[in-house]
Each structure stands twice: as structure tokens, then as C-alpha cells.
Amino acid sequence: MRALQTEARKQEHLTTVLNNDVSAKGISNGFETYAFEHCALPEIDFDDIDLSVSLFGKILSAPILISSMTGGTSKARKVNQRLAETAQEMGIAMGVGSQRAALENNLLCKTYQVRDVAPNILLFANLGAIQLNYGYGKEEAKRAIEMIEADGLFLHLNPLQEAVQKEGDKNWKGVLDKIEKLVQEIEVPIIVKEVGNGVSSKIILRLKEIGVAAVDIAGSGGTSWSEVEAYRQADPVLKGVAHNFAAWGIPTASALVEAKKEVPNFPIFASGGIRTGIDVAKAIRLGAEICGIAAPVLSSAAHHRSSLSNNIKGVIEELKIATFCTGSKDISSLRVAPLNRNTNLFFEKVI
Ligand SMILES: Cc1cc2nc3c(=O)[nH]c(=O)nc-3n(C[C@H](O)[C@H](O)[C@H](O)COP(=O)(O)O)c2cc1C
């Protein structure tokens, strides 16, 4: 029964995201407040630009991740296969969606398995951290990792989504201690991520202290999970409540800047509203290791494999042009390229 509910919810999430405007409202990713200083004389051959980065022992041809999204249904299987083929072709990383559906029903494992089409990619498994409070632990995490031959495990934090969901898991007491225990028990790197409301530097510091390998801030300005749940909600009161959180969270750029200031030398992934290669370039300049994109690639994956490839090719081309037009020859040079900020539009800490 529980397995069927999980599977049905996964299907509803896919169709809701594909058929409605579930983006955050009244808040942006914050990258528009930044502009690179244009370099009119790059003194670089465009064709020599190298966007490659190394992460967890693998080389990516560009610092891009297809963020964790799906699995658990036959449609999701097709989407995961297309995402993985594209990640393999482009040399970028990928995460599958929460594997709870397959842990509850073995028959669904194949909807997440992509190593046959993507043998070399940096691939991440995914589980909700809240499940550690509802019976999950080392055994489930290991099964999720082995199921897809993953290089790392994303544990997602989604308190807002759970709070506005009728059937949501709302007891978050003690989750940090359970993450700490899991970090000690699991051999692959554990990366904690949000799902579109951001992670503050205070929490990143605590996650670093317990041995988490990296944090994906998944900030506000892109997909809003309170919006997704609002569309799924039948109760008119709860629907209104969920919609009212459309502007909630920490914009991705703000979360990234705070994280790099307060927790330096700790790997941060940037995602949440990353829509162009120019956003990627700015996030890299602000200190992100790699950048994740979710919803926009889902819609193109649902259409056709070629529209998905074109979408990602476009993002990589924009990143390359932004690198060129800042006079940078590679990602290390882009990390120190001159960047300006318009302070009037930015979220600053209130003292
Ligand atoms: C259809 C869909 C399903 C998602 N499912 C998951 C999930 O299972 N686990 C997870 O960690 N994040 C999940 N996410 C969140 C994304 O990984 C990402 O953090 C968020 O969508 C923000 O990125 P975006 O603005 O580029 O969409 C999902 C996103 C989408 C669009």
C-alpha cells in the first residue's frame, strides 16, 4: 500500500512539474545582481577553452550536473535513460530521484538504473534525509547506492515540502545525528542537498562538522516544491497555504555567497533556478564546484532526446562564451574573473 502511494506520488510530481508553472514567485535566484566585467580583448583562442573539472575522482567535461529528479514509474525510466545518455555524451554528472519507491518495491529498481547507457558518468543516488527518522538507515542507503552503482549519495532536505504535504513526514527531530551516523557507515561521499529553498551557512557548517562531503544549496528562484504541492493539494485551505510559500527560501546566489564566506574550503554545489550557462559561470565565479539543473532539462527530456541534448549543449556553449568574454581560458581562471555586484537588489544579512 505504502509502495503504491510512493509510486503514485512520483508520477503526480512528474506530471505536475511538466504541466504547471511551478517556479518560485516573487523571488529570484539572485544571479541577476551580478555581472562579469566584459573583456574586449581576451587574447585566447576560443577553441582552446577547457571547461573540465575533477570531482570525487572523475573528470567532467563541464561543471554541470543534471539534478536529482525521477524514477519509480515507467515514464520516469524513459526520462532517466535519456538524461543518462545525454550526461554520458556530454561528460557531465547526474543524480537520480529519490529511490524510496524502489526500496519499497524491488520491481522499480530498473526505473533508476542507467549504468548500461552511462558507464562513465559521475552518478549520485538519492534518498530523503527525513526517511532516517522513519526507519531508514545504513542498509537502505547501501541498497540505494548499489542499485544504481552510484559514486555518491545525495540526502535531500525538504522540510517545506513535507510541511505543506498532507501525507508529509513532519517529525524532523534528531535528523542531523542520524546523518552523522550514516556518514560514518557509508563508504561513498554523502552530499546533502535542499530541493529549492536553500541551505544557510549555519547549517552548512554543522553538516561539514559531521563529515558530509559537500552541500548542494539548491536555493530559491527555480522550481518551488510548495508550488508543486499546491497543485497536488485538493483541500482549498492547504492549497492556499502552499501557494503562499512560493517566495520562501534563500536565493541561490545569496546562499552560495554566504556559504563561501562562512564555510570556506568546503565544496558547495549550486542549484535552484540555474537556467543558462551564464548563471553557471557566475555560480562558478562565486565558488561553486559544479551547478545543477533540474526542471528545464526534465521538460526537454520528456519531449525528445535531441531537444534534451540541444538544451544542455546550449548551456555549455553559453558557459564557454562567458568564459571567453571574461578573458578566462579555463574554469580555474573563471573562478577569479572580475565580477561586479549591484548591491541595491541583493539580500543582505539584517543585524
Ligand atoms: C520533477 C522533479 C522531481 C524532483 N525530485 C527530487 C528528488 O527525488 N530528490 C531530490 O533531492 N530532489 C528532487 N528534485 C529537486 C531538484 O533536484 C532541484 O533541487 C530543484 O528542482 C531545483 O532545481 P531547478 O530550479 O533547476 O528545478 C526534483 C525536481 C523536479 C523538477
mmCIF file with all atom_site columns, all heavy atoms in Angstrom, residues 153-164:
data_model
loop_
_atom_site.group_PDB
_atom_site.id
_atom_site.type_symbol
_atom_site.label_atom_id
_atom_site.label_alt_id
_atom_site.label_comp_id
_atom_site.label_asym_id
_atom_site.label_entity_id
_atom_site.label_seq_id
_atom_site.pdbx_PDB_ins_code
_atom_site.Cartn_x
_atom_site.Cartn_y
_atom_site.Cartn_z
_atom_site.occupancy
_atom_site.B_iso_or_equiv
_atom_site.pdbx_formal_charge
_atom_site.auth_seq_id
_atom_site.auth_comp_id
_atom_site.auth_asym_id
_atom_site.auth_atom_id
_atom_site.pdbx_PDB_model_num
ATOM 1  N N   . LEU A 1 153 ? 26.089 9.637  -2.657 1.00 0.00 ? 153 LEU A N   1
ATOM 2  C CA  . LEU A 1 153 ? 24.666 9.632  -2.261 1.00 0.00 ? 153 LEU A CA  1
ATOM 3  C C   . LEU A 1 153 ? 24.224 11.045 -1.896 1.00 0.00 ? 153 LEU A C   1
ATOM 4  O O   . LEU A 1 153 ? 24.846 11.678 -1.038 1.00 0.00 ? 153 LEU A O   1
ATOM 5  C CB  . LEU A 1 153 ? 24.473 8.712  -1.047 1.00 0.00 ? 153 LEU A CB  1
ATOM 6  C CG  . LEU A 1 153 ? 23.105 8.768  -0.352 1.00 0.00 ? 153 LEU A CG  1
ATOM 7  C CD1 . LEU A 1 153 ? 22.004 8.194  -1.251 1.00 0.00 ? 153 LEU A CD1 1
ATOM 8  C CD2 . LEU A 1 153 ? 23.124 7.994  0.972  1.00 0.00 ? 153 LEU A CD2 1
ATOM 9  N N   . PHE A 1 154 ? 23.180 11.515 -2.561 1.00 0.00 ? 154 PHE A N   1
ATOM 10 C CA  . PHE A 1 154 ? 22.533 12.763 -2.147 1.00 0.00 ? 154 PHE A CA  1
ATOM 11 C C   . PHE A 1 154 ? 21.485 12.426 -1.092 1.00 0.00 ? 154 PHE A C   1
ATOM 12 O O   . PHE A 1 154 ? 20.642 11.546 -1.306 1.00 0.00 ? 154 PHE A O   1
ATOM 13 C CB  . PHE A 1 154 ? 21.775 13.389 -3.326 1.00 0.00 ? 154 PHE A CB  1
ATOM 14 C CG  . PHE A 1 154 ? 22.572 14.325 -4.184 1.00 0.00 ? 154 PHE A CG  1
ATOM 15 C CD1 . PHE A 1 154 ? 22.629 14.130 -5.555 1.00 0.00 ? 154 PHE A CD1 1
ATOM 16 C CD2 . PHE A 1 154 ? 23.222 15.418 -3.642 1.00 0.00 ? 154 PHE A CD2 1
ATOM 17 C CE1 . PHE A 1 154 ? 23.332 14.998 -6.374 1.00 0.00 ? 154 PHE A CE1 1
ATOM 18 C CE2 . PHE A 1 154 ? 23.935 16.295 -4.454 1.00 0.00 ? 154 PHE A CE2 1
ATOM 19 C CZ  . PHE A 1 154 ? 23.986 16.089 -5.811 1.00 0.00 ? 154 PHE A CZ  1
ATOM 20 N N   . LEU A 1 155 ? 21.529 13.163 0.033  1.00 0.00 ? 155 LEU A N   1
ATOM 21 C CA  . LEU A 1 155 ? 20.433 13.092 1.007  1.00 0.00 ? 155 LEU A CA  1
ATOM 22 C C   . LEU A 1 155 ? 19.712 14.418 0.901  1.00 0.00 ? 155 LEU A C   1
ATOM 23 O O   . LEU A 1 155 ? 20.329 15.477 1.110  1.00 0.00 ? 155 LEU A O   1
ATOM 24 C CB  . LEU A 1 155 ? 20.993 12.973 2.420  1.00 0.00 ? 155 LEU A CB  1
ATOM 25 C CG  . LEU A 1 155 ? 21.497 11.611 2.889  1.00 0.00 ? 155 LEU A CG  1
ATOM 26 C CD1 . LEU A 1 155 ? 21.938 11.724 4.336  1.00 0.00 ? 155 LEU A CD1 1
ATOM 27 C CD2 . LEU A 1 155 ? 20.428 10.528 2.725  1.00 0.00 ? 155 LEU A CD2 1
ATOM 28 N N   . HIS A 1 156 ? 18.419 14.399 0.545  1.00 0.00 ? 156 HIS A N   1
ATOM 29 C CA  . HIS A 1 156 ? 17.754 15.695 0.385  1.00 0.00 ? 156 HIS A CA  1
ATOM 30 C C   . HIS A 1 156 ? 17.000 16.136 1.632  1.00 0.00 ? 156 HIS A C   1
ATOM 31 O O   . HIS A 1 156 ? 16.445 15.331 2.368  1.00 0.00 ? 156 HIS A O   1
ATOM 32 C CB  . HIS A 1 156 ? 16.883 15.751 -0.875 1.00 0.00 ? 156 HIS A CB  1
ATOM 33 C CG  . HIS A 1 156 ? 15.679 14.857 -0.874 1.00 0.00 ? 156 HIS A CG  1
ATOM 34 N ND1 . HIS A 1 156 ? 15.665 13.628 -1.486 1.00 0.00 ? 156 HIS A ND1 1
ATOM 35 C CD2 . HIS A 1 156 ? 14.438 15.036 -0.374 1.00 0.00 ? 156 HIS A CD2 1
ATOM 36 C CE1 . HIS A 1 156 ? 14.466 13.075 -1.353 1.00 0.00 ? 156 HIS A CE1 1
ATOM 37 N NE2 . HIS A 1 156 ? 13.696 13.921 -0.678 1.00 0.00 ? 156 HIS A NE2 1
ATOM 38 N N   . LEU A 1 157 ? 17.048 17.459 1.856  1.00 0.00 ? 157 LEU A N   1
ATOM 39 C CA  . LEU A 1 157 ? 16.316 18.121 2.938  1.00 0.00 ? 157 LEU A CA  1
ATOM 40 C C   . LEU A 1 157 ? 15.153 18.869 2.292  1.00 0.00 ? 157 LEU A C   1
ATOM 41 O O   . LEU A 1 157 ? 15.384 19.697 1.406  1.00 0.00 ? 157 LEU A O   1
ATOM 42 C CB  . LEU A 1 157 ? 17.218 19.137 3.661  1.00 0.00 ? 157 LEU A CB  1
ATOM 43 C CG  . LEU A 1 157 ? 18.548 18.615 4.222  1.00 0.00 ? 157 LEU A CG  1
ATOM 44 C CD1 . LEU A 1 157 ? 19.371 19.766 4.796  1.00 0.00 ? 157 LEU A CD1 1
ATOM 45 C CD2 . LEU A 1 157 ? 18.290 17.580 5.315  1.00 0.00 ? 157 LEU A CD2 1
ATOM 46 N N   . ASN A 1 158 ? 13.926 18.580 2.732  1.00 0.00 ? 158 ASN A N   1
ATOM 47 C CA  . ASN A 1 158 ? 12.763 19.228 2.102  1.00 0.00 ? 158 ASN A CA  1
ATOM 48 C C   . ASN A 1 158 ? 11.682 19.555 3.135  1.00 0.00 ? 158 ASN A C   1
ATOM 49 O O   . ASN A 1 158 ? 10.517 19.169 2.961  1.00 0.00 ? 158 ASN A O   1
ATOM 50 C CB  . ASN A 1 158 ? 12.190 18.324 0.998  1.00 0.00 ? 158 ASN A CB  1
ATOM 51 C CG  . ASN A 1 158 ? 11.714 16.978 1.537  1.00 0.00 ? 158 ASN A CG  1
ATOM 52 O OD1 . ASN A 1 158 ? 12.127 16.561 2.625  1.00 0.00 ? 158 ASN A OD1 1
ATOM 53 N ND2 . ASN A 1 158 ? 10.823 16.327 0.824  1.00 0.00 ? 158 ASN A ND2 1
ATOM 54 N N   . PRO A 1 159 ? 12.047 20.252 4.232  1.00 0.00 ? 159 PRO A N   1
ATOM 55 C CA  . PRO A 1 159 ? 11.053 20.452 5.296  1.00 0.00 ? 159 PRO A CA  1
ATOM 56 C C   . PRO A 1 159 ? 9.814  21.208 4.834  1.00 0.00 ? 159 PRO A C   1
ATOM 57 O O   . PRO A 1 159 ? 8.700  20.885 5.270  1.00 0.00 ? 159 PRO A O   1
ATOM 58 C CB  . PRO A 1 159 ? 11.827 21.253 6.354  1.00 0.00 ? 159 PRO A CB  1
ATOM 59 C CG  . PRO A 1 159 ? 12.959 21.882 5.624  1.00 0.00 ? 159 PRO A CG  1
ATOM 60 C CD  . PRO A 1 159 ? 13.320 20.926 4.533  1.00 0.00 ? 159 PRO A CD  1
ATOM 61 N N   . LEU A 1 160 ? 9.986  22.198 3.940  1.00 0.00 ? 160 LEU A N   1
ATOM 62 C CA  . LEU A 1 160 ? 8.807  22.958 3.494  1.00 0.00 ? 160 LEU A CA  1
ATOM 63 C C   . LEU A 1 160 ? 7.863  22.049 2.712  1.00 0.00 ? 160 LEU A C   1
ATOM 64 O O   . LEU A 1 160 ? 6.650  22.047 2.933  1.00 0.00 ? 160 LEU A O   1
ATOM 65 C CB  . LEU A 1 160 ? 9.237  24.171 2.649  1.00 0.00 ? 160 LEU A CB  1
ATOM 66 C CG  . LEU A 1 160 ? 8.076  24.973 2.045  1.00 0.00 ? 160 LEU A CG  1
ATOM 67 C CD1 . LEU A 1 160 ? 7.139  25.516 3.127  1.00 0.00 ? 160 LEU A CD1 1
ATOM 68 C CD2 . LEU A 1 160 ? 8.599  26.124 1.186  1.00 0.00 ? 160 LEU A CD2 1
ATOM 69 N N   . GLN A 1 161 ? 8.432  21.256 1.821  1.00 0.00 ? 161 GLN A N   1
ATOM 70 C CA  . GLN A 1 161 ? 7.589  20.354 1.016  1.00 0.00 ? 161 GLN A CA  1
ATOM 71 C C   . GLN A 1 161 ? 6.822  19.387 1.929  1.00 0.00 ? 161 GLN A C   1
ATOM 72 O O   . GLN A 1 161 ? 5.610  19.191 1.761  1.00 0.00 ? 161 GLN A O   1
ATOM 73 C CB  . GLN A 1 161 ? 8.448  19.556 0.026  1.00 0.00 ? 161 GLN A CB  1
ATOM 74 C CG  . GLN A 1 161 ? 7.583  18.646 -0.843 1.00 0.00 ? 161 GLN A CG  1
ATOM 75 C CD  . GLN A 1 161 ? 8.389  17.670 -1.696 1.00 0.00 ? 161 GLN A CD  1
ATOM 76 O OE1 . GLN A 1 161 ? 9.601  17.562 -1.543 1.00 0.00 ? 161 GLN A OE1 1
ATOM 77 N NE2 . GLN A 1 161 ? 7.713  16.992 -2.580 1.00 0.00 ? 161 GLN A NE2 1
ATOM 78 N N   . GLU A 1 162 ? 7.514  18.821 2.911  1.00 0.00 ? 162 GLU A N   1
ATOM 79 C CA  . GLU A 1 162 ? 6.833  17.868 3.809  1.00 0.00 ? 162 GLU A CA  1
ATOM 80 C C   . GLU A 1 162 ? 5.759  18.582 4.624  1.00 0.00 ? 162 GLU A C   1
ATOM 81 O O   . GLU A 1 162 ? 4.689  18.031 4.881  1.00 0.00 ? 162 GLU A O   1
ATOM 82 C CB  . GLU A 1 162 ? 7.847  17.189 4.750  1.00 0.00 ? 162 GLU A CB  1
ATOM 83 C CG  . GLU A 1 162 ? 8.918  16.362 4.049  1.00 0.00 ? 162 GLU A CG  1
ATOM 84 C CD  . GLU A 1 162 ? 8.418  15.055 3.411  1.00 0.00 ? 162 GLU A CD  1
ATOM 85 O OE1 . GLU A 1 162 ? 7.275  14.642 3.693  1.00 0.00 ? 162 GLU A OE1 1
ATOM 86 O OE2 . GLU A 1 162 ? 9.174  14.461 2.617  1.00 0.00 ? 162 GLU A OE2 1
ATOM 87 N N   . ALA A 1 163 ? 6.033  19.843 4.999  1.00 0.00 ? 163 ALA A N   1
ATOM 88 C CA  . ALA A 1 163 ? 5.081  20.578 5.844  1.00 0.00 ? 163 ALA A CA  1
ATOM 89 C C   . ALA A 1 163 ? 3.786  20.925 5.114  1.00 0.00 ? 163 ALA A C   1
ATOM 90 O O   . ALA A 1 163 ? 2.718  20.958 5.724  1.00 0.00 ? 163 ALA A O   1
ATOM 91 C CB  . ALA A 1 163 ? 5.746  21.843 6.389  1.00 0.00 ? 163 ALA A CB  1
ATOM 92 N N   . VAL A 1 164 ? 3.881  21.185 3.809  1.00 0.00 ? 164 VAL A N   1
ATOM 93 C CA  . VAL A 1 164 ? 2.665  21.578 3.082  1.00 0.00 ? 164 VAL A CA  1
ATOM 94 C C   . VAL A 1 164 ? 1.971  20.370 2.432  1.00 0.00 ? 164 VAL A C   1
ATOM 95 O O   . VAL A 1 164 ? 0.920  20.518 1.821  1.00 0.00 ? 164 VAL A O   1
ATOM 96 C CB  . VAL A 1 164 ? 2.932  22.673 2.004  1.00 0.00 ? 164 VAL A CB  1
ATOM 97 C CG1 . VAL A 1 164 ? 3.487  23.939 2.649  1.00 0.00 ? 164 VAL A CG1 1
ATOM 98 C CG2 . VAL A 1 164 ? 3.869  22.171 0.907  1.00 0.00 ? 164 VAL A CG2 1
#
